[in-house]
Amino acid sequence: MMKINKWLRAVMISCATALTFGIGLGFQSQSSHVEAATTTYKMVSTTSMTKAPYHKKSSTGVVWNASHTKKVATLKGYPYTTWYATKKAVLQKSSGSKAVYYQVKNGAGTVSGYVWHNYLTPGKAPFGLKYAKGAVALDVNTNGVVWSKAANTPRPIASVSKLMTLYLVQQKISNGGGSWTSKVNTSNAGLKKLGKDSTFGGFKFTKNSYTVRDLYLAALIESSNNAAIALGQWVAGGSTPAYNKKFVSMMNDQAKSWDLENTSFVSASGMEQNSLKPFGYSIGGANANMVSAADVAQIARHLITDYNDVLKDASIGSMNLDGQKLYNYNNLLPGRKYYQKSLNVDGLKTGYTDPAGYCFVGTGRKTGHDRIITVVLHDENEFTETRSLMNYVYNKNLA
């Protein structure tokens, strides 16, 4: 019995070796082509080829250096990259088997190396956003979604939530319930504590009342959480946490009136319940506002179409208010790092919490095109990906 077991084990090892390394070039398949840095390779030959575009065939595959000893990149890490091949190279393993690789470089010329040819497929890569977990591009004029990624999945949206709060402020004024000069009670100790907080603060309540206009600008430009909550209470008709809860109900009612099926609010500011609790403004229930990218785009569209003056305020880079500086973190505005003149970005709202990640709602109108709204949720490169999305929409004449 021991001899038979040894014989079977030897056969299995032999088969496994054959499957792993293949027999010449014809036997290899994508699933059996194992690229291990411990296996030695040598370059047998290279042949120049007409420069041609390729992109990843699947999430597997590695870009190697010429000696096949170092991983330069993984194809999974470049899901929407077009690789340009200029050479065919035949590499031989220490086992004797050979494989055809392409020498490739990305369009920017920042990453180059050798990729097994079967990991690539001919043609330019389709457009996509690498980091955003949810995204959408909306034509404001037609109200048509022109590009999306997981757009109907509800996600935490952090301070992007303030777009709904600001809408309801504008709505109350429009309906004659108050004015920009109306006074808002800001004496609540919890709100004052929140304004001074090193993590969630930004605009300190040094007075017991501010005008609606002052708090509106603080919430929009500086993304002040305490300003947003105070405004919500004012809209709801009071100045205590009980009116905050009433206002959140108003937010949800407004979303329902717009038939937003993937929207649920528990916070006027976008802060999560566990973060609001120390300041006395947790209302219980779910921890975070959960809104899909598509629904965020609809909220933004209602805001800028019903109350277009928001764009003038949203394009303010910074300003002083009550001896404090309000700073707009929209880095697509003029003079900022990711500004692109042709996109004419003039809004709209940034957001960040740990659960939500970086979120951004952008809007602009390129000359000769419709205005668009873009939304990216949980996106670590929210400005570069927003700019890429806007350029894609306009370059493809989708809006």
Side-chain angles (χ1 to χ4, degrees):
M1 184 66 70
M2 182 65 70
K3 289 182 179 179
I4 294 176
N5 284 341
K6 286 182 177 180
W7 178 81
L8 285 172
R9 182 170 179 268
V11 170
M12 290 172 66
I13 292 173
S14 176
C15 290
T17 302
L19 286 171
T20 299
F21 295 116
I23 302 173
L25 296 177
F27 187 75
Q28 294 171 337
S29 67
Q30 186 160 326
S31 61
S32 65
H33 185 85
V34 178
E35 296 181 329
T38 55
T39 303
T40 58
Y41 289 73
K42 69 175 181 178
M43 192 82 69
V44 176
S45 63
T46 59
T47 306
S48 296
M49 56 187 289
T50 302
K51 184 178 179 180
Y54 289 84
H55 59 279
K56 73 177 185 66
K57 183 181 290 186
S58 68
S59 294
T60 55
V62 174
V63 181
W64 294 91
N65 63 350
S67 59
H68 206 289
T69 55
K70 181 181 179 181
K71 293 181 180 180
V72 176
T74 63
L75 294 182
K76 183 178 181 180
Y78 292 82
Y80 305 110
T81 296
T82 298
W83 300 94
Y84 292 92
T86 55
K87 284 184 181 180
K88 287 183 180 179
V90 177
L91 273 65
Q92 185 174 29
K93 297 182 181 181
S94 52
S95 62
S97 62
K98 297 178 182 178
V100 174
Y101 281 68
Y102 289 157
Q103 184 181 33
V104 298
K105 183 180 291 186
N106 65 350
T110 55
V111 182
S112 61
Y114 292 81
V115 182
W116 184 48
H117 73 288
N118 272 355
Y119 284 137
L120 299 172
T121 191
K124 292 185 177 181
F127 176 80
L129 301 181
K130 176 180 177 181
Y131 297 105
K133 289 187 177 180
V136 70
L138 180 77
D139 184 318
V140 173
N141 185 46
T142 65
N143 198 26
V145 172
V146 296
W147 190 89
S148 66
K149 174 183 179 181
N152 293 316
T153 302
R155 301 183 185 279
I157 61 168
S159 284
V160 166
S161 307
K162 293 182 176 73
L163 294 178
M164 178 63 93
T165 297
L166 298 176
Y167 181 90
L168 293 174
V169 170
Q170 288 264 26
Q171 186 183 71
K172 179 169 181 170
I173 294 172
S174 178
N175 291 339
S179 70
W180 289 114
T181 58
S182 295
K183 292 290 186 177
V184 180
N185 189 323
T186 55
S187 63
N188 181 274
L191 291 185
K192 288 190 173 183
K193 179 182 176 182
L194 176 56
K196 296 176 182 178
D197 187 80
S198 60
T199 301
F200 299 106
F203 179 72
K204 300 177 178 65
F205 285 171
T206 61
K207 299 185 293 189
N208 288 330
S209 69
Y210 288 87
T211 66
V212 172
R213 176 66 176 168
D214 286 345
L215 297 183
Y216 180 90
L217 291 171
L220 175 61
I221 299 173
E222 177 65 30
S223 199
S224 168
N225 293 310
N226 47 313
I229 295 171
L231 283 170
Q233 292 177 161
W234 175 77
V235 171
S239 58
T240 65
Y243 287 93
N244 170 64
K245 187 172 184 178
K246 180 181 178 181
F247 177 72
V248 172
S249 294
M250 294 175 68
M251 297 173 77
N252 286 311
D253 288 344
Q254 187 64 57
K256 288 178 183 177
S257 75
W258 291 334
D259 296 322
L260 304 184
E261 298 179 353
N262 297 302
T263 296
S264 177
F265 289 108
V266 293
S267 163
S269 65
M271 288 174 61
E272 285 80 27
Q273 297 294 297
N274 58 352
S275 299
L276 285 165
K277 191 172 183 179
F279 307 102
Y281 279 91
S282 172
I283 67 170
N287 189 48
N289 292 339
M290 299 293 289
V291 187
S292 69
D295 283 5
V296 169
Q298 287 300 320
I299 295 169
R301 181 175 182 271
H302 280 287
L303 179 58
I304 67 176
T305 55
D306 292 351
Y307 308 109
N308 189 256
D309 57 315
V310 69
L311 294 175
K312 182 178 179 181
D313 296 327
S315 61
I316 297 172
S318 64
M319 63 174 290
N320 291 319
L321 178 65
D322 190 32
Q324 304 175 58
K325 185 176 182 178
L326 305 182
Y327 184 83
N328 193 329
Y329 292 90
N330 179 354
N331 283 324
L332 287 177
L333 292 176
R336 299 295 174 80
K337 183 176 180 180
Y338 302 104
Y339 170 67
Q340 181 180 326
K341 184 177 181 180
S342 63
L343 295 176
N344 293 317
V345 172
D346 49 10
L348 190 58
K349 191 71 194 73
T350 59
Y352 175 82
T353 61
D354 285 342
Y358 291 99
C359 303
F360 180 59
V361 180
T363 186
R365 182 182 180 187
K366 188 173 183 177
T367 302
H369 295 264
D370 288 346
R371 173 176 289 277
I372 60 173
I373 291 171
T374 57
V375 179
V376 294
L377 302 180
H378 210 294
D379 188 338
E380 63 185 75
N381 283 341
E382 73 273 33
F383 298 116
T384 55
E385 293 213 322
T386 292
R387 189 172 61 184
S388 294
L389 179 54
M390 287 182 168
N391 279 313
Y392 175 78
V393 169
Y394 285 133
N395 291 340
K396 293 293 183 179
N397 290 314
L398 300 178

